[in-house]
Amino acid sequence: MATCGSDCCSNGSIFDEKSISCDKTTRVLEGCMPLPIPDDVLKEIVPKAKDFALLHGAGMRYRDRYDADKLEFAPFFLLPSAFPKREFERVVKIQPLINILMHRVAHDHEFLESTLKNTVRVDSFTARLWDIYTTVRKEGVTQSVTLGMFRCDYFFSVPCQCAQQVEINTIAASFGALATRIGLLHRYVLGELRRPELLHHLPENGALSGLCGGMVSAWKHYKNPKAVILFVIEDITYNICDQRFHEYEIRRQRPDIHVIRRNLTEISQRGTLTNDKRLIIDGDEVAVVYFRAGYEPGQYHTEAEWEARLTIERSKAIKCPSIQYHLAGTKKVQQELARPGMLKRFLSDSEADHVRQLFTGLYTLDRDEEGDKAVKMALESPERFVLKPQREGGGNNVYGKEIKDVLEKIKDSVEREAFILMDRIRPPIQQNYLIRPHMPVSLAEVVSELGIFGAVIGDDKDILLNEYAGHMLRTKLSSVNEGGVAAGLGALDSVFLFD
Ligand code: ADP
Ligand code: MG
């Protein structure tokens, strides 16, 4: 028997009922078609879907036995997952406003300083980023234009019946390319299942062209037709298809642009600045730096990698993200923005009201009266919250009973200021078939997290480009806290909109 994924119901089995209402709230979503799919149909459609994924590059490198000559398909769900149309359209429409918000936050020195002053005392990673930010600020800005390629993540929340924001990613927001592949895959699957009448529920997804269009616009702004775009990559790239498709799309849009790929160690060894602060690597001048790495401490092995980040930041290249965008994406900033009235520092009253509706409860854990209250609340009912450190990339948050263990240890020390507390969002459950390499296909109870991409280019005075840039859906087993795609508990998905 499934357990209800919401606070609104206390009873029973959920998939025996047609749908959807419980005290006027949706706790179970009906999928795009009746489930289960008969065994004989499933037996035929799964190999077709796997082949489609492989032949359209919805792939990844082997995580456990890396082999540069081989790919396997990325975990995916067989069918598109239901998401309420009204809320999808709402978060799409609001993305340009979020772009502006993040751009203004990143350019508000006083706000960043007062927000992060406690965090940098206890979180050494954020402190290193802060050092770079203040160093280049003191030296004088050489490139005032920045490129943001954000991804805002949302759950549809059962209790409020609305989309609620999980976080805003300002660095290395991935899956723009694979999301478009999975959209195609689901169109194919619905066709093969002889349900073409459902296709109009699947929205177009211009994530890849939108994001690459952002990079091309930034490149044009740099005004050197010979300069390249530098992808800052991990030492080993498992999510290679996603990254390569960005390269191919840039080439499609502008055959004259070259992309080069280097990790931070290579940049430290071979990257230099000219006297006028142009970034040169292996003879190429860099117009745009696109970070697909650099968001977690493990990617900076030694001081050399930090030096490389500083060199990039000092340069005239347009950074995606600039160091202040990176800082604006911290969990601490997200929590401060959720304070009553805070959004009005950056947006008009009505704009602020719209954005505010996306936020769930976020609480400071600073050592003051407010923080004490939050600690007490979390200790009393840990299942209502998520405890978050200033980290990106998944797998760092603390849930449920473990929150109690962690907070008991740190509640009287300054360490607690490295974390924020957030209301746990309760998404509705639905069913779907999880398809993973070398694993049996299973019908699973799942929840979906929607990502909305945004692209913005501007400086402290003007915004030169501001767009919604497509979407992605990641779905995970409802029984797990975090469904990393690489970890195999989450998988790529696409959106099936319903009224
Ligand atoms: P990261 O920077 O590591 O991606 P996130 O804030 O996105 O951090 O959290 C990682 C995952 O944890 C999310 O994708 C989501 O599945 C889960 N999660 C985070 N915050 C919440 C929340 N408030 N309620 C429910 N699940 C959450
Ligand atoms: Mg996340």
Side-chain angles (χ1 to χ4, degrees):
M1 186 194 291
T3 48
C4 181
S6 84
D7 295 329
C8 73
C9 310
S10 55
N11 64 329
S13 176
I14 49 177
F15 289 114
D16 51 353
E17 57 194 312
K18 183 87 181 116
S19 160
I20 310 183
S21 76
C22 168
D23 297 334
K24 294 201 188 76
T25 58
T26 304
R27 65 191 169 88
V28 181
L29 295 178
E30 216 177 344
C32 64
M33 62 179 62
L35 296 176
I37 294 174
D39 277 351
D40 54 332
V41 179
L42 198 62
K43 237 174 159 168
E44 217 179 295
I45 192 69
V46 169
K48 284 183 182 172
K50 286 183 180 179
D51 283 348
F52 190 98
L54 283 168
L55 294 171
H56 291 77
M60 287 194 160
R61 295 255 199 254
Y62 296 1
R63 173 69 53 180
D64 45 357
R65 20 192 183 104
Y66 178 86
D67 182 339
D69 291 348
K70 287 185 182 155
L71 286 173
E72 57 189 8
F73 64 81
F76 66 90
F77 281 93
L78 182 63
L79 302 168
S81 288
F83 200 93
K85 188 172 179 195
R86 181 197 68 204
E87 291 305 294
F88 177 83
E89 287 174 348
R90 184 155 83 104
V91 292
V92 164
K93 197 166 157 218
I94 213 164
Q95 187 57 42
L97 206 51
I98 306 251
N99 293 342
I100 290 178
L101 169 67
M102 296 312 286
H103 186 82
R104 291 185 181 154
V105 166
H107 289 87
D108 187 332
H109 174 69
E110 281 74 36
F111 174 78
L112 287 181
E113 189 169 48
S114 67
T115 297
L116 293 172
K117 69 175 187 302
N118 290 347
T119 312
V120 299
R121 262 187 250 142
V122 283
D123 184 81
S124 56
F125 184 68
T126 312
R128 291 302 305 252
L129 300 176
W130 185 258
D131 281 349
I132 291 176
Y133 167 68
T134 47
T135 302
V136 291
R137 210 178 121 78
K138 263 188 231 132
E139 290 174 0
V141 178
T142 44
Q143 177 55 266
S144 59
V145 169
T146 58
L147 166 63
M149 300 209 300
F150 307 140
R151 200 189 70 217
C152 292
D153 292 336
Y154 300 93
F155 281 122
F156 179 72
S157 153
V158 169
C160 80
Q161 290 291 284
C162 62
Q164 292 201 314
Q165 195 171 78
V166 175
E167 66 156 346
I168 302 177
N169 299 283
T170 60
I171 181 165
S174 59
F175 293 126
L178 290 195
T180 58
R181 304 279 136 178
I182 297 297
L184 297 177
L185 181 146
H186 283 155
R187 282 174 186 276
Y188 166 76
V189 165
L190 292 184
E192 289 302 302
L193 291 172
R194 299 170 196 238
R195 300 299 303 272
E197 78 281 7
L198 297 177
L199 291 175
H200 72 277
H201 290 272
L202 275 53
E204 291 297 323
N205 191 357
L208 184 59
S209 56
L211 294 171
C212 294
M215 283 193 266
V216 168
S217 296
W219 178 87
K220 283 185 197 154
H221 188 85
Y222 189 81
K223 293 196 176 67
N224 175 354
K226 291 218 161 54
V228 301
I229 297 179
L230 166 65
F231 284 21
V232 179
I233 55 169
E234 316 91 321
D235 298 337
I236 299 175
T237 300
Y238 295 100
N239 196 7
I240 187 70
C241 297
D242 196 56
Q243 293 187 16
R244 287 287 187 207
F245 280 125
H246 283 74
E247 291 177 44
Y248 308 153
E249 175 62 17
I250 290 168
R251 177 62 52 82
R252 190 190 69 77
Q253 292 186 18
R254 283 296 298 249
D256 51 335
I257 300 181
H258 266 271
V259 169
I260 61 170
R261 300 164 57 83
R262 303 285 186 273
N263 63 32
L264 285 167
T265 311
E266 291 164 339
I267 296 167
S268 77
Q269 291 158 352
R270 289 155 27 207
T272 53
L273 290 184
T274 60
N275 287 340
D276 59 350
K277 302 279 172 70
R278 288 174 296 122
L279 176 62
I280 310 289
I281 182 153
D282 297 330
D284 282 317
E285 179 172 343
V286 177
V288 178
V289 183
Y290 172 45
F291 285 91
R292 288 293 295 237
Y295 54 83
E296 62 180 24
Q299 291 163 340
Y300 298 82
H301 309 299
T302 64
E303 282 304 303
E305 287 74 22
W306 283 111
E307 272 303 315
R309 181 80 192 260
L310 179 60
T311 301
I312 293 169
E313 219 51 52
R314 278 179 167 144
S315 78
K316 255 168 85 167
I318 297 175
K319 275 78 70 181
C320 176
S322 60
I323 195 79
Q324 67 266 36
Y325 268 179
H326 191 169
L327 288 166
T330 51
K331 310 279 191 280
K332 185 66 190 172
V333 165
Q334 184 187 4
Q335 174 256 302
E336 279 299 306
L337 287 176
R339 271 186 196 286
M342 189 57 89
L343 286 172
K344 294 187 178 165
R345 181 177 174 119
F346 304 102
L347 300 171
S348 73
D349 286 3
S350 75
E351 289 171 340
D353 289 342
H354 284 301
V355 173
R356 185 79 180 80
Q357 284 168 22
L358 301 171
F359 295 170
T360 184
L362 285 138
Y363 312 93
T364 175
L365 292 174
D366 286 358
R367 287 197 303 168
D368 52 24
E369 204 180 317
E370 214 187 331
D372 289 344
K373 224 170 108 191
V375 169
K376 188 162 172 277
M377 208 165 61
L379 288 174
E380 273 167 17
S381 24
E383 69 291 343
R384 282 180 44 215
F385 301 102
V386 182
L387 182 64
K388 296 189 175 188
Q390 310 303 310
R391 286 290 169 277
E392 298 295 324
N396 303 299
N397 300 338
V398 184
Y399 301 85
K401 207 180 94 31
E402 223 188 302
I403 293 182
K404 234 172 152 166
D405 303 340
V406 173
L407 278 184
E408 290 290 2
K409 267 194 222 124
I410 62 172
K411 71 178 170 24
D412 298 320
S413 87
V414 72
E415 247 184 283
R416 82 181 208 201
E417 300 192 340
F419 293 82
I420 61 142
L421 190 70
M422 183 173 184
D423 283 345
R424 185 161 188 165
I425 307 168
R426 303 290 178 180
I429 293 172
Q430 56 189 305
Q431 287 184 303
N432 207 333
Y433 289 96
L434 178 54
I435 317 279
R436 288 175 288 187
H438 318 296
M439 301 278 273
V441 174
S442 57
L443 184 58
E445 289 177 7
V446 298
V447 297
S448 293
E449 187 172 347
L450 176 67
I452 300 293
F453 291 105
V456 61
I457 300 177
D459 59 20
D460 53 348
K461 288 177 210 71
D462 298 312
I463 303 257
L464 309 170
L465 173 139
N466 179 18
E467 284 172 359
Y468 157 67
H471 60 272
M472 59 88 87
L473 196 74
R474 261 176 321 166
T475 295
K476 65 177 183 181
L477 303 181
S478 62
S479 54
V480 301
N481 290 322
E482 289 187 34
V485 173
L489 298 171
L492 299 167
D493 200 351
S494 82
V495 176
F496 184 89
L497 299 178
F498 66 95
D499 288 319

